[in-house]
Amino acid sequence: MTKALPLLNRELSRLDYNARVLAKAEEASVPLLARLQFLAWCSRNLDEFFMVRVGATRDLIEAGVSEPSPDGLLPAERLAAMQKRTGELLAQMDRCLTEDLLPRLRSEGVAIETFGDLPADDQQWVRDYFAREVAPVLTPLAIDPGHPFPFVGSSSLTVAVTIEAPRADSTHVVLMKLPPLLPRFVALPDGKRFVPMKSIIIANTTAFFPSFAVKEGILFRVIRNSELSLDSDEVQDLRDSVEAELRRRDRRQVVCLEIEARASEELVGVLVAGTGARPQDVYRVSGFVKMSDFEQICEAVPDAALHYPAFNARLPQRLASADDLFSIIAAGDVLLHRPYDSFTAVVEFVHAAATDPAVLAIKMALYQTDEGAPIVDNLVLAANSGKQVSVVIELQARFEERKNIALARRLQDAGVQIVYGLVGLQTHAKLCVVIRSEGGQLRHYVHLSTGNYTAEAARSYTDLDLLTANPAFGREASLLMNILTGYSARSATEVFERGGERPRWEELIIAPFDFHRWLIARIEREAAHAAAGRPARISAKLNSLVDTQVIQALSDASTAGVKIDLIVRAICCLVPGVRGVSENIRVMSIVDRFLEHERIIHFENGGTPEYFLSSGDWMPRNFVRRIEVTFPVLDAASRKTVSDVLDLSLGDTVSSWDLRSDGQWHRRSGREKISSQRAFIDIARAESVKISGKGMTRLRAGRLRARTKARDARSRR
């Protein structure tokens, strides 16, 4: 009899990941400001968890949904477990900050000071700063029958002050929102000591109430349910619908009221009643509210000894020449491993497409990018040059909606053809297709990636990029772009939900068309190889593993004798090492300086190994609710790189964790200390060429001369 498939809860697994990030903040071998950065990341992760996962679970409960999740927990049970675990994490973060990090930073000269602890000359400097920069933009809001409780936006910080009238037994509460454009921590003139804005405001409240006394002053914030909810049947204009939903989201239900622990019960009662929070949504913190703001201090203090050693991404040697970039790609695939290889190469690809007269069209799917990014500037340049430029912008990219709407408007104003994708499906694929005229024929050049077109993420996330002139990749990437721009909601529904004729793909695997079915078939093929005594192994590097059908297929392959190694950064619902169910499956996670983000799949395939890269994780949403691209790695050198990434990651003993059969994560240890990220940095330094800004300018100029020379030669022929 087949054993029941044990599963871990998705939400609690996500919190386990946050605990691993927090453990990095507690690690003594990590530089102090890097530890503070990990603490800030943990805080940011928890904010998103409240906004999305707690909010979604609360919605289920209020809708009367009583169906358990695959692991067997009912919505109310999940919510209670989530609230308990988040409370524990916040308390652990408090201890890490107040008992460890701040004292250690103070010993290095980096200190968070309260106004009252400052010497007289510093206090005067702060008073002058308050009068000049803060007071003019503050708006004190009283709470009384004539002044109803004001709206408090999600994640905005607010000072609540109880002030007492002179010679009268009366008090009232005043709220003052921290000015969002001013720093959370104000740097004193020495640049290494900081005063919290809250402390400055409370100490100077008498500037607004000169005859009153401050009885109590604390900082608080609320986090609101922020999951967008669009009814595809009612959407007439996707951009208008997203903008309307964003306005509603700003005022949705409070799921967390974070407040300083020393707040009086009376003041907490006022804030609970005014914000509409529930008692179980109140989280008291003894240290600092919204610890993600400590990123400001990490960026402001330049002391190299307190940060990770500086690392400048390099340009691969193949690209460090004056040759025409398209000629380089035409000669063979180029694989980039970010952040060890520079994102400049991707920017250069789009720039070359924008400036090369032989390029006729650029088609791109943009899930995320930076404001004012060079990628966007080059798309505008291409459109202004008369090229056909089409961009699919995902308006429902979580917490990027407003930025993407503004981006879409800017590109549209420049003449770029903008499409918002298919209603009901997120376009999560990352690709760019360049169509170039060569010798009277059109040739496709394609960029495919596991990560976004975001320079900031390219410096801190690990991802893989492929630049290729493979004709099949070009045809199929163009076909996908044409589907995204040409299908209507009705025709998409016909294909995706009603069994209509589907496009045919030879090399690319596209979700929601084929990804789920293809993955399970490949896992089953590996099981068949094992049963026949042929080499069988599966290795994969993912962000999350949730889909129960995929987990079942992996379990079946394990019982058939397939050795399975999974590197799962964040959420993992599979329980490894269970006898008769998953005893041949090993699950590990790496949490280090860079966020592990690439998605790699390896099948041993009976001795003929296959390697694939993907934009999608193994979650239901990636299989059925998103447009994703999975693509094979065909070039021998690129396959070697991908294989090395997997092997080095699997051998990590410094920043890795193992998931055991008891569902708990345990730090990995080994006699040999191996840091995979450290090894990748060393490889990049040994094998690549550093390109400065001037060097890149010369490189582009050389390539332009090469293109001009080649074009002149063609015209003479």
Side-chain angles (χ1 to χ4, degrees):
M1 181 177 177
T2 304
K3 288 188 177 181
L5 187 66
L7 294 169
L8 299 175
N9 180 262
R10 167 185 170 161
E11 327 302 348
L12 299 182
S13 181
R14 176 74 189 191
L15 292 175
D16 284 344
Y17 166 63
N18 285 342
R20 296 195 295 279
V21 175
L22 178 55
K24 201 71 179 177
E26 298 171 328
E27 192 173 313
S29 62
V30 175
L32 274 173
L33 285 177
R35 293 175 61 187
L36 189 64
Q37 181 74 71
F38 279 111
L39 185 72
W41 285 337
C42 186
S43 175
R44 191 177 300 279
N45 288 343
L46 276 183
D47 287 357
E48 182 176 335
F49 184 81
F50 276 112
M51 293 177 190
V52 179
R53 302 315 310 169
V54 174
T57 306
R58 179 72 58 75
D59 287 344
L60 290 176
I61 294 171
E62 294 187 350
V65 175
S66 58
E67 182 179 350
S69 51
D71 58 284
L73 289 180
L74 296 171
E77 294 173 324
R78 291 203 302 276
L79 182 61
M82 291 153 64
Q83 290 175 326
K84 178 177 182 294
R85 186 69 178 110
T86 51
E88 293 169 348
L89 279 172
L90 285 169
Q92 188 178 350
M93 291 163 64
D94 263 350
R95 291 192 297 272
C96 175
L97 179 68
T98 58
E99 299 176 13
D100 187 6
L101 290 181
L102 291 184
R104 289 179 183 275
L105 284 167
R106 181 176 287 275
S107 69
E108 298 291 338
V110 180
I112 311 296
E113 308 278 12
T114 63
F115 179 86
D117 291 336
L118 295 175
D121 55 343
D122 283 335
Q123 286 189 352
Q124 186 57 52
W125 185 92
V126 170
R127 288 193 191 95
D128 293 341
Y129 175 87
F130 176 83
R132 183 179 65 253
E133 304 287 345
V134 182
V137 295
L138 276 184
T139 304
L141 299 170
I143 309 299
D144 67 9
H147 299 82
F149 198 96
F151 172 75
V152 179
S154 186
S155 255
S156 63
L157 291 163
T158 305
V159 173
V161 180
T162 302
I163 59 175
E164 190 170 31
R167 297 183 302 278
D169 187 20
S170 66
T171 63
H172 71 273
V173 175
V174 175
L175 303 185
M176 289 178 280
K177 179 181 177 181
L178 264 62
L181 296 181
L182 293 182
R184 167 78 185 277
F185 301 98
V186 176
L188 292 170
D190 61 14
K192 295 188 73 172
R193 291 178 300 139
F194 299 84
V195 184
M197 182 63 74
K198 178 210 81 169
S199 178
I200 294 174
I201 291 174
I202 292 174
N204 290 275
T205 299
T206 53
F208 299 105
F209 308 98
S211 59
F212 287 71
V214 175
K215 182 179 178 182
E216 179 180 12
I218 56 92
L219 189 67
F220 78 95
R221 65 165 176 156
V222 299
I223 299 176
R224 296 180 181 274
N225 182 351
S226 298
E227 186 74 335
L228 286 185
S229 178
L230 293 177
D231 187 339
S232 59
D233 293 333
E234 297 180 0
V235 171
Q236 300 298 320
D237 183 292
L238 184 57
R239 189 173 72 187
D240 289 347
S241 297
V242 170
E243 288 180 318
E245 184 62 20
L246 286 173
R247 289 191 292 270
R248 285 192 291 270
R249 182 174 76 178
D250 290 341
R251 293 184 173 273
R252 294 183 71 181
Q253 184 183 52
V254 171
V255 293
C256 171
L257 170 58
E258 187 180 11
I259 188 169
E260 289 183 307
R262 59 191 183 84
S264 66
E265 290 298 331
E266 181 182 4
L267 181 54
V268 171
V270 170
L271 298 179
V272 167
T275 61
R278 304 179 185 188
Q280 61 267 37
D281 299 324
V282 177
Y283 294 84
R284 291 174 174 264
V285 294
S286 59
F288 286 79
V289 173
K290 197 183 181 186
M291 285 186 251
S292 58
D293 285 344
F294 278 106
E295 285 184 296
Q296 177 201 328
I297 292 176
C298 297
E299 295 169 359
V301 178
D303 192 336
L306 303 180
H307 295 272
Y308 278 118
F311 167 69
N312 295 315
R314 312 297 172 97
L315 197 69
Q317 290 180 350
R318 278 190 60 199
L319 298 181
S321 74
D323 292 340
D324 177 14
L325 179 61
F326 294 113
S327 298
I328 295 173
I329 299 171
D333 291 353
V334 176
L335 188 74
L336 306 171
H337 187 198
R338 293 192 252 152
Y340 316 104
D341 293 325
S342 176
F343 184 65
T344 300
V346 178
V347 175
E348 169 68 3
F349 174 70
V350 182
H351 177 79
T355 56
D356 190 334
V359 169
L360 305 179
I362 303 171
K363 302 182 179 184
M364 177 179 280
L366 271 180
Y367 185 75
Q368 280 184 18
T369 190
D370 307 287
E371 295 183 44
I375 291 282
V376 177
D377 292 339
N378 284 314
L379 292 174
V380 170
L381 175 62
N384 290 337
S385 301
K387 301 182 191 300
Q388 183 83 357
V389 183
S390 306
V391 178
V392 177
I393 294 182
E394 181 49 67
L395 295 188
Q396 298 179 74
R398 184 174 290 152
F399 305 124
E400 300 290 323
E401 300 95 347
R402 287 188 174 89
K403 187 170 73 174
N404 282 2
I405 288 171
L407 170 65
R409 287 189 171 121
R410 180 191 171 195
L411 290 173
Q412 202 161 34
D413 290 344
V416 175
Q417 291 184 334
I418 296 296
V419 177
Y420 299 130
L422 300 170
V423 177
L425 290 171
Q426 277 194 354
T427 302
H428 193 246
K430 299 93 168 76
L431 75 155
C432 178
V433 183
V434 173
I435 296 136
R436 191 171 187 260
S437 177
E438 298 180 0
Q441 296 183 336
L442 298 183
R443 187 165 193 175
H444 293 72
Y445 292 84
V446 181
H447 170 255
L448 295 165
S449 182
T450 65
N452 295 305
Y453 292 97
T454 308
E456 182 178 351
R459 291 188 292 269
S460 56
Y461 286 28
T462 68
D463 275 303
L464 289 159
D465 298 86
L466 179 69
L467 295 166
T468 182
N470 182 302
F473 280 43
R475 287 193 305 271
E476 295 180 16
S478 292
L479 173 59
L480 175 58
M481 288 300 300
N482 290 340
I483 289 173
L484 293 174
T485 60
Y487 270 42
S488 66
R490 179 174 296 179
S491 60
T493 300
E494 188 68 30
V495 170
F496 298 136
E497 298 180 7
R498 298 175 185 166
E501 184 176 352
R502 295 172 177 245
R504 297 180 180 274
W505 315 93
E506 295 176 4
E507 297 291 354
L508 305 185
I509 303 98
I510 309 297
F513 292 101
D514 303 308
F515 187 24
H516 194 245
R517 180 173 58 251
W518 170 88
L519 179 59
I520 290 177
R522 280 296 199 280
I523 295 171
E524 291 174 343
R525 186 189 66 177
E526 215 63 24
H529 283 313
R534 294 186 290 269
R537 184 187 174 202
I538 299 171
S539 304
K541 197 167 189 290
L542 311 163
N543 290 277
S544 296
L545 169 56
V546 175
D547 188 83
T548 54
Q549 294 181 57
V550 171
I551 292 174
Q552 184 64 64
L554 291 169
S555 174
D556 294 342
S558 169
T559 58
V562 180
K563 298 294 183 182
I564 302 172
D565 288 300
L566 303 175
I567 307 168
V568 185
R569 172 178 58 85
I571 306 169
C572 183
C573 296
L574 182 150
V575 183
V578 178
R579 184 175 297 277
V581 176
S582 56
E583 57 191 296
N584 287 316
I585 301 177
R586 179 174 64 144
V587 177
M588 64 176 290
S589 177
I590 298 173
V591 179
D592 206 348
R593 173 178 181 174
F594 306 122
L595 185 141
E596 301 279 328
H597 192 257
E598 68 264 69
R599 300 148 177 114
I600 305 171
I601 314 170
H602 160 243
F603 300 105
E604 189 59 28
N605 188 31
T608 308
E610 296 177 331
Y611 293 89
F612 298 86
L613 305 178
S614 182
S615 65
D617 288 305
W618 294 358
M619 303 176 72
R621 70 183 186 190
N622 300 99
F623 293 126
V624 300
R625 298 195 302 276
R626 286 185 169 186
I627 302 291
E628 305 279 11
V629 177
T630 300
F631 51 97
V633 183
L634 303 176
D635 174 79
S638 299
R639 288 161 61 90
K640 174 66 166 56
T641 297
V642 172
S643 175
D644 289 345
V645 170
L646 275 176
D647 290 344
L648 275 171
S649 299
L650 288 167
D652 192 298
T653 59
V654 171
S655 300
S656 54
W657 299 69
D658 286 315
L659 180 59
R660 305 277 178 83
S661 58
D662 60 359
Q664 301 298 312
W665 290 91
H666 300 264
R667 280 188 180 275
R668 178 180 290 188
S669 60
R671 284 180 296 179
E672 187 178 2
K673 299 297 182 183
I674 300 172
S675 166
S676 57
Q677 292 194 3
R678 179 74 254 174
F680 293 135
I681 289 174
D682 292 341
I683 291 170
R685 284 175 171 161
E687 297 182 355
S688 301
V689 177
K690 181 178 180 180
I691 300 294
S692 66
K694 292 181 180 178
M696 179 55 69
T697 300
R698 290 194 297 270
L699 182 62
R700 286 176 173 168
R703 286 179 176 162
L704 181 58
R705 289 193 296 271
R707 288 196 294 270
T708 303
K709 183 177 179 181
R711 190 168 61 253
D712 291 346
R714 287 196 298 271
S715 65
R716 286 195 296 272
R717 288 196 297 269

